[in-house]
Amino acid sequence: MIPDTMKAVLLTRHGDLDALVYRQDVPVPRPASGEVLIEVTACGMNNTDVWVRQGAYGSETDPEAVSSWRRGRPTLTFPRIQGADIVGRIAAVGEGVAQERVGERVMVDFSLYNRDDDSLADIDYIGHGRDGGYAEYTTVPAENAHIVDTGMSDAELATFCCAYLTGEHMLERAGVRAGERVLVTGASGGVGSAIVQLCRARDAIPYAVTGQGKEEALRRIGAEAVITREPGDLVEAAAAATGGEPIDVVADLVAGPLFNPLLRILRPEGRYTTAGAIAGPVVQLDLRTVYLKHLQLHGSSQGTRKDFRRLVGYIETGKVKPLLAQTYRLSDFHNAQRAFMEKHFVGKLVVVPDAKWREAGSPG
C-alpha cells in the first residue's frame, strides 16, 4: 500500500541550513502519464545541492547575485525536495508505462533533457526543476529510471549518477584519449574521484590534486601520482609528479587561485575542462596564456544520454567502483550536509530514508 503522506526534506528558500526543513506530512506524489513512482532507498549528496540552497550561482553581470542553477531561466520553486542521485524501487506507474515495471530496482538518470538531441543548452535536473530524492517517494519520467545489472547495494549505487555523469561529460568534452595525462583538481570529492576512475576506464592517466591525508585513498582508485595542496609552486609539483612529462588535460573542480597555474601546467594545445569552482568562481585570466599556447577551455555541466549509457556500462563491467564514504538517515539531514561541506572524506555521502535504514543504510 502506498501511503498518502511521507517524510521528506524541503528546501524552503535560499539560505543557510535552516532553510532545509524535515517534515513528516508531505503528500506522496502520484505518477503522471509517462512517469513512475519510486520508493526511495538511497540518495547521494552533491555540491549542487549546497550551491542551490545558498543561491550561489550569481549572474553574468553580478557574481554575488543570489541565483539558482539555471541562470536567467529559473525553474526552481519553493518548497523543493532536492536530491538527484536516486536509487529505489518502482512502486507505481502512470498511464502509458508498462505495469510490469512495478518492483524494478532502478538508478535514476537525474538529467531533464528537454530536447531529443544531445544538446545540453536547455537542460534541467531532478531535485531542481522538479522534486527529487530526499524523501521516501518521488516521481520521475519513466525513461529516466534504469535497471543496472550489478550486485552493489542501493547506497553504493547511489554514489554514481550525478558525479560520474558530470565527470564523464567533462572528459568527453575535452576529448580525452587513451594514454593522455589528466590533472584532476578536487580529486577526493565526488566528481573528482569519479574522474580519476573514469580516466582509467578510457585508459588515460590521472594525476590527482587533493588535501593532505587523502593520498593513499586516491592511489587505490587509480591516481598515477598525488599532489597535495601545500604552499609552493603547483607547476613545479606537477612536473615532479609526472617526471617532466606533459599534461594534456586539466579537469578542474576548484578554480580560485589555482586557475592560472593550471593553465601554465597544460602543454601547448592542451585542454582545460571545468564543472565546478569550489575555491572561487571568479578568477584572473591572462588571455595571452590561452592564445599563445593554443589552449581550449571547456565548460561542462551534467551529461548526455550517451554519457549515461557509457556510465551504466562502466558500472556493469566493474570499470568503476563505488566510493561510499558514509550513510546518514534522512532525519539527520542537517548533520549530513554539514559533514558534506566539511569535506573530510573521499567519495560520496548518501542519505537513506529512516524506514529503509536497516535495509540500505546501516553499516552493519
Side-chain angles (χ1 to χ4, degrees):
M1 292 291 292
I2 299 170
D4 293 326
T5 60
M6 65 179 181
K7 301 174 179 66
V9 173
L10 302 182
L11 177 65
T12 59
R13 55 181 169 81
H14 293 304
D16 294 327
L17 281 170
D18 60 358
L20 295 163
V21 179
Y22 178 71
R23 287 181 46 183
Q24 304 186 50
D25 59 349
V26 177
V28 172
R30 297 295 184 253
S33 177
E35 295 183 347
V36 296
L37 175 70
I38 295 176
E39 185 175 13
V40 178
T41 51
C43 188
M45 304 192 81
N46 293 289
N47 276 317
T48 308
D49 300 329
V50 177
W51 280 46
V52 167
R53 168 174 61 78
Q54 295 172 336
Y57 283 94
S59 71
E60 292 183 357
T61 57
D62 179 5
E64 302 302 321
V66 174
S67 173
S68 190
W69 181 84
R70 274 176 62 115
R71 283 180 168 182
R73 299 170 293 152
T75 57
L76 177 69
T77 57
F78 300 116
R80 171 64 75 221
I81 299 172
Q82 295 180 289
D85 283 349
I86 303 163
V87 172
R89 284 156 183 81
I90 295 178
V93 298
E95 183 180 350
V97 181
Q99 188 68 29
E100 290 76 18
R101 295 208 63 184
V102 172
E104 290 179 358
R105 184 179 84 144
V106 294
M107 179 176 80
V108 173
D109 179 355
F110 71 109
S111 295
L112 299 172
Y113 295 100
N114 295 323
R115 302 172 55 139
D116 293 331
D117 59 18
D118 275 340
S119 171
L120 301 182
D122 192 32
I123 203 165
D124 204 343
Y125 72 90
I126 295 168
H128 181 272
R130 61 182 293 157
D131 285 339
Y134 294 146
E136 293 180 308
Y137 291 88
T138 192
T139 57
V140 303
E143 65 181 6
N144 288 62
H146 297 265
I147 295 174
V148 181
D149 184 11
T150 174
M152 293 177 192
S153 70
D154 291 1
E156 289 173 329
L157 195 55
T159 63
F160 285 109
C161 188
C162 185
Y164 285 69
L165 186 63
T166 298
E168 179 67 9
H169 191 60
M170 288 174 69
L171 298 181
E172 191 70 9
R173 289 272 289 163
V176 173
R177 300 181 294 273
E180 291 195 309
R181 296 174 185 84
V182 181
L183 186 72
V184 185
T185 68
S188 64
V191 179
S193 57
I195 292 173
V196 171
Q197 293 196 65
L198 291 165
C199 282
R200 290 300 186 184
R202 57 175 68 202
D203 295 322
I205 307 167
Y207 294 83
V209 180
T210 190
Q212 288 186 338
K214 301 172 182 177
E215 299 93 329
E216 185 54 36
L218 288 166
R219 291 189 187 98
R220 284 198 301 269
I221 64 171
E224 187 78 5
V226 181
I227 302 164
T228 56
R229 295 193 308 269
E230 298 174 332
D233 191 325
L234 182 63
V235 180
E236 291 182 0
T242 67
E245 296 295 331
I247 290 292
D248 302 286
V249 174
V250 164
D252 184 22
L253 302 159
V254 175
L258 291 185
F259 182 74
N260 269 314
L262 292 172
L263 297 190
R264 290 173 55 206
I265 287 169
L266 277 171
R267 66 166 172 81
E269 298 184 341
R271 292 97 75 199
Y272 170 96
T273 180
T274 181
I278 58 176
V282 180
V283 298
Q284 289 187 324
L285 169 63
D286 187 339
L287 280 172
R288 293 167 294 188
T289 303
V290 176
Y291 68 73
L292 291 174
K293 293 179 72 175
H294 303 274
L295 300 181
Q296 297 179 30
L297 307 184
H298 295 275
S300 182
S301 184
Q302 295 182 222
T304 66
R305 295 176 181 90
K306 291 179 181 177
D307 296 327
F308 183 84
R309 288 194 293 270
R310 279 196 306 276
L311 172 58
V312 171
Y314 293 152
I315 296 170
E316 292 183 338
T317 57
K319 288 188 175 182
V320 293
K321 305 294 184 183
L323 297 176
L324 176 59
Q326 192 170 346
T327 53
Y328 286 83
R329 289 178 172 85
L330 184 66
S331 61
D332 197 25
F333 192 86
H334 281 189
N335 284 331
Q337 194 154 99
R338 284 192 192 96
F340 181 87
M341 294 169 67
E342 289 170 356
K343 304 295 184 188
H344 300 315
F345 60 92
V346 175
K348 295 276 285 189
L349 303 184
V350 170
V351 173
V352 173
D354 292 41
K356 301 295 181 182
W357 183 252
R358 291 185 65 183
E359 169 190 337
S362 172

